[in-house]
């Protein structure tokens, strides 16, 4: 029997690759995941990019091509519905989605209050002028920056292993004020995201894990719901919205 949910006003949602799995986007640590086919140290570190930029750029070119035609699934759409409808039922209530994912599916589903803590496949970063720019084509070592026209300075706008995730202060502030923290589709292997549940609990938030199977951090959550996000997230959103009587 599902625990009934209280009425929550400051909701922080963390999403990982499992949220996009039903949209056909590969996860990382499942049996057929990206890290079963690619060595992190060869495609997802600053050292790898310095050593062999072509190999790294081709890895991200392939992932960028994969997301160009990907569609949001019911999990993405339910989270967008939660963001839109919660303030109508509870003025001032807010939903923040913090995603580890670099695909654009939350935006395509309509989520607006969104943090990409590990960057975005459809963005490029020029290390000469620091400009970030929309990028949906293949990227090459000599691709010119759209802002400063320099070549050899454009890289994927992706946070690689050993680099600091983006917007950490904003995330920590949101966790400190949360009354509900929900982790969806992440294995809980990578910090700092894997530690967000502890921060939310310190703030007194109720914490829920929604994942296909127990994550590394499952025991830190008050509640665990295991199954496909495309089924469990719409059900969760109906429960949260239903807890507010019109
Ligand atoms: N519904 C819900 N959960 C799912 C589904 C699904 N349809 N399919 C897979 N999962 C779960 C898996 O059980 C797994 O626990 O999603 C999780 C995916 O875990 P990872 O592949 O490790 O992805 P993630 O947790 O997002 O990785 C975090 O690690 O390597 C870095 O940068 C990479 O952002 C990534 C970070």
């Amino acid at each position: 029997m599902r625990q009934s949910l209280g009425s929550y006003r400051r909701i922080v949602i963390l999403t990982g690759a499992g949220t996009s799995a039903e949209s056909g986007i590969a996860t990382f640590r499942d049996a057929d995941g990206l890290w079963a086919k690619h060595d992190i140290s060869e495609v997802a570190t600053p050292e790898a990019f310095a050593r062999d930029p072509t190999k790294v750029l081709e890895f991200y070119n392939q992932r960028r091509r994969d997301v160009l035609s990907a569609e949001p699934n019911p999990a993405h759409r339910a989270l967008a519905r939660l963001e839109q409808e919660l303030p109508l039922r509870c003025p001032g209530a807010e939903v923040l989605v913090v995603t580890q994912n670099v695909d654009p599916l939350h935006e395509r589903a309509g989520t607006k209050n969104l943090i990409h803590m590990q960057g975005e496949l459809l963005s490029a970063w020029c290390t000469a002028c620091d400009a970030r720019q929309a990028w949906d084509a293949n990227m090459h070592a000599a691709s010119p920056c759209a802002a400063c026209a320099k070549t050899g300075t454009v890289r994927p706008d992706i946070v690689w292993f050993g680099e600091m995730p983006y917007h950490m202060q904003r995330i920590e502030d949101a966790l400190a004020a949360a009354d509900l923290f929900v982790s969806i589709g992440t294995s809980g292997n990578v910090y700092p995201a894997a530690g967000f549940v502890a921060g939310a609990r310190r703030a007194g938030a109720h914490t829920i894990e929604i994942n296909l199977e127990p994550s590394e951090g499952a025991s830190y959550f008050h509640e665990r719901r295991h199954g496909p996000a495309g089924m469990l997230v719409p059900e969760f959103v109906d429960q949260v919205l239903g807890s507010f009587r019109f």
Side-chain angles (χ1 to χ4, degrees), residues 16-18 22 28-30 35 118 161 186-187 190 211-213 229:
E22 291 160 76
F28 294 93
R29 294 174 183 80
D30 288 327
W35 300 148
Q118 297 199 130
F161 284 88
T186 182
S187 60
V190 177
N211 205 52
L212 200 56
E213 61 199 5

Side-chain angles (χ1 to χ4, degrees), residues 27-104:
T27 62
F28 294 93
R29 294 174 183 80
D30 288 327
D32 57 348
L34 283 171
W35 300 148
K37 299 169 185 155
H38 301 273
D39 179 338
I40 288 173
S41 67
E42 292 186 6
V43 294
T45 67
E47 296 76 13
F49 186 59
R51 186 172 56 243
D52 187 348
T54 301
K55 180 170 195 164
V56 172
L57 291 172
E58 189 36 48
F59 174 66
Y60 288 97
N61 286 342
Q62 179 59 56
R63 292 180 64 194
R64 190 177 302 105
R65 291 193 294 269
D66 292 343
V67 303
L68 287 180
S69 54
E71 287 295 320
N73 65 56
H76 299 105
R77 297 195 194 288
L79 294 177
R81 177 162 57 92
L82 179 64
E83 177 188 300
Q84 282 138 24
E85 291 189 20
L86 188 67
L88 304 178
R89 300 186 185 214
C90 175
E94 191 176 87
V95 178
L96 171 66
V97 175
V98 178
T99 188
Q100 300 172 93
N101 299 339
V102 292
D103 64 54

Side-chain angles (χ1 to χ4, degrees), residues 100-186:
Q100 300 172 93
N101 299 339
V102 292
D103 64 54
L105 298 182
H106 282 302
E107 299 89 321
R108 287 184 184 162
T111 288
K112 305 251 183 304
N113 197 18
L114 172 66
I115 293 177
H116 276 281
M117 64 180 287
Q118 297 199 130
E120 301 173 61
L121 280 170
L122 299 185
S123 170
W125 174 28
C126 174
T127 54
C129 70
D130 202 31
R132 280 166 171 85
Q133 49 218 280
W135 200 284
D136 60 7
N138 285 338
M139 189 183 291
H140 305 289
S143 294
C145 169
C148 72
K150 279 202 173 64
T151 60
T153 58
V154 172
R155 59 166 271 186
D157 185 12
I158 298 283
V159 176
W160 284 326
F161 284 88
E163 296 182 326
M164 261 307 277
Y166 294 154
H167 310 299
M168 282 306 296
Q169 190 56 57
R170 194 176 148 211
I171 295 169
E172 281 157 14
D173 293 347
L175 291 170
D179 58 10
L180 178 62
F181 174 73
V182 186
S183 174
I184 303 172
T186 182

